[in-house]
Every structure is written in structure tokens, then in C-alpha cells.
């Protein structure tokens, strides 16, 4: 934008700062530097709250003292919290001006992490979209649109999606958990030899069909699958966005847990009792074991499993770092172990270390301090190497786990806060 004067004035909460227009172009704060790229006054007003063309003054309705500390960071390169100001409020000011938590000094970063862990406020994507919609349309129009949606559909959605939203939702969640437990028990018990013998008196293994409705286990399994299928269909029908419903990880897991049953039933009906069933037996057993995904359905009803999934999704960089910390020492120690135990033409070489891939197994169980004892070094240099491998494993694995732990605590408080907020809002809605 072509400024009217060579001096630009920033008015932040009543405090004025004057800068040459050349400084504005390369200003360290992204929001301020965006002013130079604005081509019209309309674009300027998207960056600041008001603009005076005559005085070339830009108005920002923000915390003046917080901006003063941010300007000290621009000048001296050190950013600390404003005394007697909430850490989260100052963090919001930082985000507004284009800074991140990494710009804070280490002591202030710890204060911010502790504060966010104690009272973490998370805005989901739906809430962000909702705020954007409220800015662009009249509030009255939105109220009318909300009233058009039937109340029973909203209650059904809350009942199936939020287990803590109402008493009916808690009962439904309890029934679903019972079906998951029964399904897991039946799947585990059906693999016992005595159970197979009692249900199958036939000598030919390919004739055994655990999904048959003639057996009690088949009836119980069919009832459980019917419940899961009905629950998934109802949740799909009452969902707001069908595409978003299909993309959710838990819904994909539900589909993976239900589909193998219908595939195995279809294959059994198509193959019948002929010789093709023997070739399809392995496929049927693999599909049947895929039902172990049912246990992940418990994440829909338990906060701990949801926290675990959210932590893994947010800490994928740390997980990659952890994998890297394992693979690099594994390559080094396995090569040295194979050389010291087998590759130096010893009188009695250790055959357990005949190759580097075989030695990798020993490195993994040593670095993780499991030590099954199935293979171990017998030479003095090999034992010294083993000691170094164990010590390095303790140190290297502890480094990324610290970051994962802090992320786990943060995710737990976030989900706990969201659950409590949802419960309060729905309770108020039903009371009204």
C-alpha cells in the first residue's frame, strides 16, 4: 500500500509507536508487516481495527502493556510475561501479533505449559467454523435456522455421540460396552481347544464353522454384530455431515470391526461344504480375528482411551523421533555385536549372532531392558558392548518420552474440559 507519509503510527490501546514505512515492510511481527502488503483501505481494516489516512495512523484495540513487552522482544530478543497478567491472555496477544510459544523464554514456556495443563481451553474445528459464520451473518437468522432443526434429531445425536449427555445416553453406552465385552470374551474362548472340541465333533477341520447359527457362540456373535450394525446405522443417519462421519477414525474402526463378519458369512454361503471351504478357511480365520478391533470401540465411552488416541495423533513427530532413537543405535550395536561375537574367527563363535538381523533382536530387548535371556554375549568385549547398549537405551528412550508425557497430560485435561462443558450445556438445554 502506498502510505501517505513516510512515518507510520501504530496506536495500540492508546499507546502510539512511530516507525518509518521501510521498517514496517520487514517488521518482525507478522501482523504489522502485513500492513505493507495491503493494496486498499479495506485490506488494511482486515489487519487493524481502524485507520486514519490523514495522520497515517493504524489503530489496534489490544492490550497496550502486553504489546509493550512484545516490543521489548523485538528490540532485545527476549520475551517474558507481563507481571500480574494471565499467561493465557498474554499468549492470546502473542498469537494475535504473530508470535508462538517458542519465542518465550524457557521459564515462561514452562509457566505457560503448566497453565494450559490446569485450564486448557480447546476450540474444535466446528466451533471455529461457527464463529466465522456468526461474523458473516445476522444472529437472528442463525437462531431461526437452529429452530428449524427438529429437537428429537438433536437429542438422538447427543444420545449416540455423547455418552454423558443424558441418562438414556449412559444406558446406551453401558449396553454397548457390555456387547463389546461379550464379543471379546466369545472371540477369546472360541480359540480354546476344549471349546472347539465341544462345538465340533467332526474330525475334518475345514468343516468347523464358528459363525454358524447352530452353535450358541454363533447366535451370541450374531446378536452382538446386529447391535453394532444398528448402532452404526443410526449414528450415520442422525449425523450432521455424512462425509465427516465417514472420515472419523472411530467410525472407520467400527466399519473394520463389523465388515469381516458379513464377509465371512458371505464366503461361507458361497463356498458351502465343498472343497473350496478348505482353501477359504485361512481367509475366514484372518477376517474373524479382525474383530479384535471391537475393543477399540471402548474409546468412544472411556476418556483414557480417547486421550491415548489424541496423544498419539498429536505426538507423531515425537513418535518418529523415538523410532529414530531406536533404529540408529540398533544398526550400530547390532553390527558391533555380530563382529565381536561371531565375525572375528573365534574358536567357539556365538551362533546366536550369526548375522546382523539376528543381533538386532538382541539390541532391541537390551535397549528396552526387557532381556528375555534367549540370546546373550559370551565374550568380554561383547558383554561390555551389552552394558553400553543397555545404558544408552535408558538415556535415549527417556528423552522423547518426556515430551509425550506432557502432551498426554495436556490432551487429558483438554478432553476432560470438553466433556464437562458438553455436559453442562446439554443439561442447561434440557432444563430450558
Amino acid at each position: 500500500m502506498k502510505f501517505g507519509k513516510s512515518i507510520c503510527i501504530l496506536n495500540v490501546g492508546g499507546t502510539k509507536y512511530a516507525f518509518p514505512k521501510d521498517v514496517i515492510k520487514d517488521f518482525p511481527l507478522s501482523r504489522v508487516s502485513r500492513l505493507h502488503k495491503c493494496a486498499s483501505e479495506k485490506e488494511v481494516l482486515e489487519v487493524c481495527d481502524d485507520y486514519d489516512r490523514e495522520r497515517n495512523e493504524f489503530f489496534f484495540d489490544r492490550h497496550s502493556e502486553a504489546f509493550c513487552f512484545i516490543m521489548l522482544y523485538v528490540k532485545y530478543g527476549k520475551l517474558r510475561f507481563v507481571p500480574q497478567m494471565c499467561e493465557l491472555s498474554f499468549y492470546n496477544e502473542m498469537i494475535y501479533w504473530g508470535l508462538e510459544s517458542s519465542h518465550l523464554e524457557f521459564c515462561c514456556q514452562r509457566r505457560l505449559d503448566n497453565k494450559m495443563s490446569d485450564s486448557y481451553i480447546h476450540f474444535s474445528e466446528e466451533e471455529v467454523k461457527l464463529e466465522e459464520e456468526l461474523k458473516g451473518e445476522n444472529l437472528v437468522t442463525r437462531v431461526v435456522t437452529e429452530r428449524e432443526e427438529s429437537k428429537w434429531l438433536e437429542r438422538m445425536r447427543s444420545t449416540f455421540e455423547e455418552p454423558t449427555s443424558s441418562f438414556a445416553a449412559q444406558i446406551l453406552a453401558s449396553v454397548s460396552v457390555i456387547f463389546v465385552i461379550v464379543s471379546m470374551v466369545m472371540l477369546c474362548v472360541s480359540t480354546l481347544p476344549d471349546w472347539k472340541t465341544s462345538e465340533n465333533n467332526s474330525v475334518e477341520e475345514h468343516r468347523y464353522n464358528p459363525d454358524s447359527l447352530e452353535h450358541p457362540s454363533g447366535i451370541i456373535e450374531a446378536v452382538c454384530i446386529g447391535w453394532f450394525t444398528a448402532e452404526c446405522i443410526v449414528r450415520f443417519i442422525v449425523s450432521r455431515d455424512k462425509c465427516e462421519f465417514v472420515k472419523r477414525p472411530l467410525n472407520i474402526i467400527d466399519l473394520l470391526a463389523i465388515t469381516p463378519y458379513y464377509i465371512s458369512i458371505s464366503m461361507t454361503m458361497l463356498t458351502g461344504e465343498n472343497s473350496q471351504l478348505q482353501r477359504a478357511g485361512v481367509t475366514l480365520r484372518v477376517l474373524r480375528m479382525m474383530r479384535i478391533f471391537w475393543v477399540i470401540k471402548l474409546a468412544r465411552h472411556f476418556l483414557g482411551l480417547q486421550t491415548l488416541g489424541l496423544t498419539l495423533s498429536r505426538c507423531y513427530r515425537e513418535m518418529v523421533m523415538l523410532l529414530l532413537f531406536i533404529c540408529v543405535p540398533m544398526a550400530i550395536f547390532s553390527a558391533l555385536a555380530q563382529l565381536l561375537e561371531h565375525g572375528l574367527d573365534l574358536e567357539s563363535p556365538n551362533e546366536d549372532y550369526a548375522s546382523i538381523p539376528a543381533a538386532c533382536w538382541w539390541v532391541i530387548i537390551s535397549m528396552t531392558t526387557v532381556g528375555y535371556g534367549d540370546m546373550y554375549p559370551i565374550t568380554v568385549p561383547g558383554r561390555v558392548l551389552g552394558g553400553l547398549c543397555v545404558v544408552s537405551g535408558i538415556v535415549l528412550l527417556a528423552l522423547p518420552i518426556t515430551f509425550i508425557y506432557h502432551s498426554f497430560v495436556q490432551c487429558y485435561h483438554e478432553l476432560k474440559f470438553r466433556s464437562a462443558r458438553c455436559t453442562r450445556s446439554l443439561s442447561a438445554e434440557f432444563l430450558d
Side-chain angles (χ1 to χ4, degrees):
M1 178 177 179
K2 296 181 180 180
F3 299 108
K5 298 181 181 180
S6 60
I7 300 297
C8 299
I9 301 175
L10 302 183
N11 190 326
V12 182
T15 305
K16 297 182 179 181
Y17 302 85
F19 302 98
K21 61 179 182 180
D22 296 334
V23 175
I24 294 292
K25 179 180 180 181
D26 300 323
F27 205 79
L29 303 180
S30 61
R31 181 169 288 272
V32 178
S33 61
R34 282 166 55 190
L35 293 173
H36 192 276
K37 301 178 181 178
C38 296
S40 62
E41 187 172 346
K42 181 180 179 181
E43 294 182 2
V44 171
L45 294 177
E46 293 178 357
V47 179
C48 61
D49 297 307
D50 200 359
Y51 172 59
D52 189 345
R53 180 180 292 273
E54 294 181 358
R55 293 182 296 177
N56 203 25
E57 186 173 354
F58 303 88
F59 294 88
F60 296 89
D61 188 13
R62 307 300 299 186
H63 198 284
S64 59
E65 191 175 0
F67 185 74
C68 180
F69 272 70
I70 293 175
M71 288 302 299
L72 291 176
Y73 164 74
V74 174
K75 186 175 181 180
Y76 298 105
K78 292 185 178 181
L79 181 60
R80 293 186 174 90
F81 285 128
V82 178
Q84 307 302 325
M85 182 177 181
C86 177
E87 290 84 354
L88 295 180
S89 299
F90 186 78
Y91 182 56
N92 289 333
E93 295 292 326
M94 291 171 51
I95 295 176
Y96 177 82
W97 294 108
L99 298 178
E100 299 178 356
S101 59
S102 58
H103 294 98
L104 286 167
E105 293 295 302
F106 179 71
C107 57
C108 294
Q109 287 188 23
R110 294 184 60 182
R111 285 176 55 188
L112 179 62
D113 292 339
N114 294 333
K115 187 67 176 179
M116 294 180 69
S117 299
D118 293 337
S119 56
Y120 189 90
I121 301 177
H122 174 78
F123 295 97
S124 62
E125 295 182 358
E126 295 180 357
E127 292 171 338
V128 174
K129 294 179 180 178
L130 183 60
E131 292 181 357
E132 294 178 353
E133 291 176 359
L134 288 174
K135 292 180 181 178
E137 60 187 31
N138 195 315
L139 181 61
V140 177
T141 305
R142 172 158 183 80
V143 172
V144 173
T145 304
E146 288 183 351
R147 289 179 178 176
E148 292 177 354
E149 186 176 8
S150 59
K151 293 183 178 180
W152 72 268
L153 187 62
E154 183 65 30
R155 290 196 177 189
M156 286 285 291
R157 185 183 300 114
S158 303
T159 302
F160 279 87
E161 295 292 344
E162 298 292 340
T164 59
S165 61
S166 63
F167 182 70
Q170 294 178 0
I171 295 178
L172 187 67
S174 301
V175 174
S176 182
V177 170
I178 292 175
F179 273 107
V180 171
I181 295 175
V182 170
S183 301
M184 290 296 98
V185 171
M186 293 303 300
L187 180 62
C188 297
V189 171
S190 63
T191 59
L192 296 175
D194 296 338
W195 180 274
K196 289 184 177 182
T197 303
S198 62
E199 286 193 343
N200 185 15
N201 296 324
S202 176
V203 181
E204 298 178 1
E205 182 181 357
H206 67 273
R207 287 182 174 270
Y208 172 69
N209 181 16
D211 293 331
S212 176
L213 296 180
E214 297 177 358
H215 303 293
S217 61
I219 297 176
I220 296 175
E221 195 169 14
V223 172
C224 294
I225 287 292
W227 170 267
F228 296 146
T229 305
E231 181 185 9
C232 188
I233 292 175
V234 172
R235 290 176 53 250
F236 177 77
I237 293 174
V238 301
S239 62
R240 293 189 181 95
D241 189 349
K242 301 299 187 291
C243 296
E244 184 67 23
F245 178 87
V246 176
K247 295 178 182 179
R248 290 179 182 176
L250 287 179
N251 296 331
I252 295 176
I253 292 174
D254 289 344
L255 187 62
L256 291 177
I258 295 173
T259 305
Y261 178 82
Y262 295 103
I263 294 178
S264 60
I265 291 295
S266 301
M267 292 181 64
T268 303
M269 294 176 61
L270 292 175
T271 55
E273 294 293 334
N274 52 28
S275 59
Q276 294 181 357
L277 183 59
Q278 186 173 5
R279 287 179 290 179
V282 177
T283 305
L284 290 175
R285 286 193 291 270
V286 171
L287 292 175
R288 192 163 184 267
M289 282 303 163
M290 286 182 62
R291 298 172 197 168
I292 198 66
F293 287 113
W294 284 339
V295 74
I296 307 180
K297 287 173 64 66
L298 297 175
R300 195 182 302 279
H301 311 291
F302 292 98
L303 187 64
L305 292 177
Q306 295 176 13
T307 305
L308 178 61
L310 184 60
T311 303
L312 294 177
S313 63
R314 291 186 177 179
C315 294
Y316 67 93
R317 291 187 179 89
E318 287 77 9
M319 298 300 295
V320 172
M321 185 190 305
L322 180 62
L323 182 63
L324 184 65
F325 283 3
I326 294 177
C327 292
V328 173
M330 182 178 65
I332 297 174
F333 284 116
S334 60
L336 294 177
Q338 193 276 338
L339 178 65
L340 296 176
E341 292 292 320
H342 191 273
L344 294 179
D345 297 329
L346 302 175
E347 295 180 359
S348 56
N350 193 343
E351 296 299 332
D352 291 336
Y353 297 83
S355 63
I356 291 180
C360 287
W361 167 250
W362 169 78
V363 174
I364 292 176
I365 62 177
S366 298
M367 290 185 64
T368 55
T369 65
V370 175
Y372 291 118
D374 55 343
M375 56 188 300
Y376 51 87
I378 58 177
T379 62
V380 174
R383 292 176 179 178
V384 173
L385 181 67
L388 295 175
C389 180
V390 172
V391 173
S392 64
I394 295 174
V395 175
L396 293 176
L397 297 182
L399 296 177
I401 288 178
T402 305
F403 296 99
I404 298 175
Y405 165 74
H406 286 294
S407 180
F408 180 85
V409 174
Q410 179 176 321
C411 292
Y412 174 76
H413 286 288
E414 174 187 340
L415 292 176
K416 190 175 181 181
F417 178 84
R418 290 170 59 185
S419 178
R421 183 179 58 183
C422 180
T423 302
R424 289 195 301 267
S425 61
L426 288 173
S427 299
E429 179 184 350
F430 291 145
L431 288 175
D432 293 340

